[in-house]
Amino acid sequence: MKSGMQVEIWRVARIGLDDRVAMERLYRTYYEGAPEETFQHDLAEKDLAIVLRDAEGVRGFSTLKCLDVEDVRVVFSGDTVVDAACRNQTGLAGAFGHVMARLAAADDPRTPYWFLICKGARTYRFLPTFFTRYVPGAQTDEELTGLLHRIAARLYPHAFNPRTGVLHFGAGKDRLKDDVLRMDAESRRFRTLNPGWRTGDELACLAPLAMENLNRLGRRVIADVSPVWML
């Protein structure tokens, strides 16, 4: 992890105005197309935020909402942004693992599922980098794909296309200003699955949030990160 980087897990209601402004400033550095009020409205709807901070201030964040979709425990990822100068570190992924571990330890026998909608390949690559079972991926998993479609259709009935697995929101939706066109297999797979990513289309994805679904790197990253809980 980048030297001097502090990893924090906040309850969104506790985040102060200065940090909210810094988060939005960082978001608008890398995304465009959203109305001015959208970011703060979306942030207020989330439960938790993972924040990366160093001496220069907020350098990255990811927002999370915990909800039930019918009988399924779902952790939904909202906006995720990391400053380009700070991307070669694992604080965000490690902190997410700590959130996952806390959910697993909660008094609820149901396995939670991570539901994320990906605007770019960088976010999608979290799945193959840290998990063994996820969709969509190189392997077919009809059971998990069926659950993904059920969740996506319930949360985004007017945007989700079950034939493609992509959400299309049309005008007024944010989109990446740019994205490094990595040529690894997983980045190419993302662009094949979501050919409209440049215009703001998002790929719906799902993974079980269980410790046994983490690969070796995922377990190591969690062990290497000690977040500060701000609940």
Side-chain angles (χ1 to χ4, degrees), residues 50-66:
I50 299 168
V51 177
L52 306 181
R53 186 192 310 274
D54 65 10
E56 297 182 29
V58 174
R59 305 303 296 275
F61 66 89
S62 182
T63 62
L64 303 169
K65 185 173 182 61
C66 302

Side-chain angles (χ1 to χ4, degrees), residues 20-43 61 79-83 87 172-178:
R20 290 172 183 265
V21 170
M23 292 165 71
E24 181 167 7
R25 185 182 304 118
L26 183 62
Y27 161 81
R28 295 198 180 277
T29 300
Y30 296 99
Y31 291 92
E32 62 185 357
E36 183 174 345
E37 69 278 2
T38 299
F39 177 83
Q40 295 298 338
H41 179 269
D42 288 350
L43 178 61
F61 66 89
D79 293 318
T80 298
V81 188
V82 178
D83 187 12
R87 286 175 180 167
K173 187 68 174 66
D174 59 344
R175 58 190 177 274
L176 281 166
K177 291 183 179 179
D178 196 8

Side-chain angles (χ1 to χ4, degrees), residues 6-15 19 47-49 51 53 102 227-231:
Q6 177 163 295
V7 183
E8 304 163 351
I9 302 173
W10 284 83
R11 187 170 299 281
V12 165
R14 291 196 60 196
I15 299 175
D19 280 349
D47 299 315
L48 300 173
V51 177
R53 186 192 310 274
R102 178 168 287 204
V228 178
W229 292 83
M230 310 293 286
L231 303 182

